[in-house]
């Protein structure tokens, strides 16, 4: 479930009304009970500044990486930091679902923040990206979804060349062929984590990525992308 600021305020008003009638408080969000997540937007009456700034784990991970630890050690530290209750784009993801996306977001916020070409920054950090993202299909999908957020929010030039970004991730053994297909089929996956999601951006990125997927399916014998 996604809870916008307006919905949150409406629920708070409903809760206050129930209390006034001596009715017990509302149960916790059902999505939390079944392992899902709630998207809690910034702007509550009591704690307007609660979600200001990036998640502190971004700074913690950056400090650990810049201290010179090996990619494998950094991957272990990222797992230790975890992704539950991540603060992303001014909102908190609560619940257990979305942790792989959150960890991918923390990592990309650190290693792809130099303002250069994404393909070049991926190659420069390929050992670290592979250690942190390639271990499971879920981590690979999390990496791709976090990359989608990074591009649509901050690096929009990457939308048109996402096929080349995908090819670089594949060549660096960060994401396997099958996971590109899974991500491609989940057209609205970012909507679960980003309140300003635009379907048009998602379609454009997948149109670009399909050039790469088609090239893979042709056995890499087609025209170079």
């Amino acid at each position: 479930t996604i809870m916008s600021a307006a919905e949150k305020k409406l629920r708070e008003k409903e809760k206050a009304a129930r209390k006034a009638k001596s009715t017990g408080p509302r149960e916790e969000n059902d999505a939390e009970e079944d392992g899902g997540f709630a998207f809690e937007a910034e702007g509550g009456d009591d704690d307007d500044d609660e979600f200001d700034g990036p998640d502190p784990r971004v700074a913690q991970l950056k400090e650990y990486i810049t201290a010179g630890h090996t990619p494998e050690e950094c991957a272990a530290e990222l797992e230790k930091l975890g992704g539950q209750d991540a603060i992303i784009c001014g909102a908190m993801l609560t619940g257990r679902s979305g942790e792989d996306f959150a960890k991918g977001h923390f990592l990309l916020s650190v290693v792809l923040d130099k303002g250069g070409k994404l393909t070049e920054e991926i190659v420069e950090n390929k050992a670290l990206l592979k250690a942190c993202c390639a271990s499971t299909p879920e981590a690979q999908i999390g990496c791709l979804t976090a990359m989608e957020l990074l591009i649509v929010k901050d690096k929009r030039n990457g939308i048109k060349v996402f096929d080349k970004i995908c090819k670089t991730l594949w060549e660096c053994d960060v994401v396997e062929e099958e996971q590109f297909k899974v991500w491609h089929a989940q057209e609205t996956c970012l909507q679960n984590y980003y309140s300003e999601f635009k379907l048009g951006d998602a379609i454009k990125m997948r149109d670009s990525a399909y050039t790469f997927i088609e090239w893979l399916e042709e056995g890499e014998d087609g025209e170079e992308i």
Side-chain angles (χ1 to χ4, degrees):
T1 58
I2 300 176
M3 188 184 296
S4 68
E7 289 170 335
K8 184 180 177 184
K9 289 181 180 179
L10 178 59
R11 291 192 182 187
E12 289 172 348
K13 289 180 180 179
E14 292 173 345
K15 182 186 289 186
R18 285 195 296 270
K19 285 184 177 179
K21 295 179 181 179
S22 301
T23 305
R26 180 182 181 275
E27 293 296 314
E28 289 184 27
N29 192 292
D30 291 339
E32 189 72 11
E33 294 177 354
D34 65 12
F37 68 90
F39 188 91
E40 187 172 342
E42 185 179 5
D45 293 336
D46 296 329
D47 49 2
D48 288 340
D49 298 326
E50 183 179 357
F51 304 139
D52 279 357
D55 192 295
R57 283 169 284 190
V58 174
Q60 293 169 6
L61 181 62
K62 183 173 184 177
E63 182 179 0
Y64 192 86
I65 291 174
T66 55
H69 293 279
T70 67
E72 292 72 24
E73 290 171 337
C74 292
E77 179 66 12
L78 181 58
E79 283 300 310
K80 180 181 176 182
L81 291 172
Q84 191 167 359
D85 296 338
I87 299 171
I88 299 176
C89 300
M92 177 182 286
L93 299 179
T94 59
R96 293 183 295 276
S97 179
E99 286 192 60
D100 288 298
F101 162 75
K103 288 184 289 186
H105 172 72
F106 296 160
L107 180 65
L108 299 190
S109 296
V110 173
V111 302
L112 303 183
D113 67 340
K114 297 178 181 178
K117 289 185 177 180
L118 284 174
T119 51
E120 294 176 356
E121 292 186 357
I122 290 168
V123 172
E124 182 181 345
N125 294 281
K126 63 181 180 180
L128 179 58
L129 289 165
K130 180 179 179 180
C132 293
C133 301
S135 58
T136 67
E138 293 79 11
Q140 293 175 40
I141 295 297
C143 174
L144 284 173
T145 309
M147 185 72 75
E148 182 178 358
L149 173 61
L150 176 69
I151 289 173
V152 300
K153 184 175 181 295
D154 298 321
K155 298 179 181 287
R156 295 189 60 83
N157 289 338
I159 294 176
K160 294 181 179 180
V161 296
F162 195 59
D163 55 338
K164 295 178 174 59
I165 293 170
C166 289
K167 184 171 184 282
T168 305
L169 288 169
W170 175 74
E171 289 176 336
C172 292
D173 297 322
V174 178
V175 180
E176 298 172 350
E177 177 178 351
E178 186 59 32
Q179 305 319 314
F180 286 109
K181 296 177 182 179
V182 172
W183 170 86
H184 186 273
Q186 297 175 350
E187 203 167 68
T188 61
C189 61
L190 185 60
Q191 187 175 19
N192 295 326
Y193 314 120
Y194 185 43
S195 63
E196 297 182 26
F197 168 82
K198 295 179 181 178
L199 181 60
D201 285 342
I203 292 173
K204 289 176 183 177
M205 290 191 69
R206 281 158 179 78
D207 285 346
S208 179
Y210 187 71
T211 302
F212 164 70
I213 294 172
E214 194 173 39
W215 177 78
L216 281 179
E217 291 177 340
E218 291 174 354
E220 308 162 44
D221 294 328
E223 183 178 348
E224 187 69 15
I225 62 174

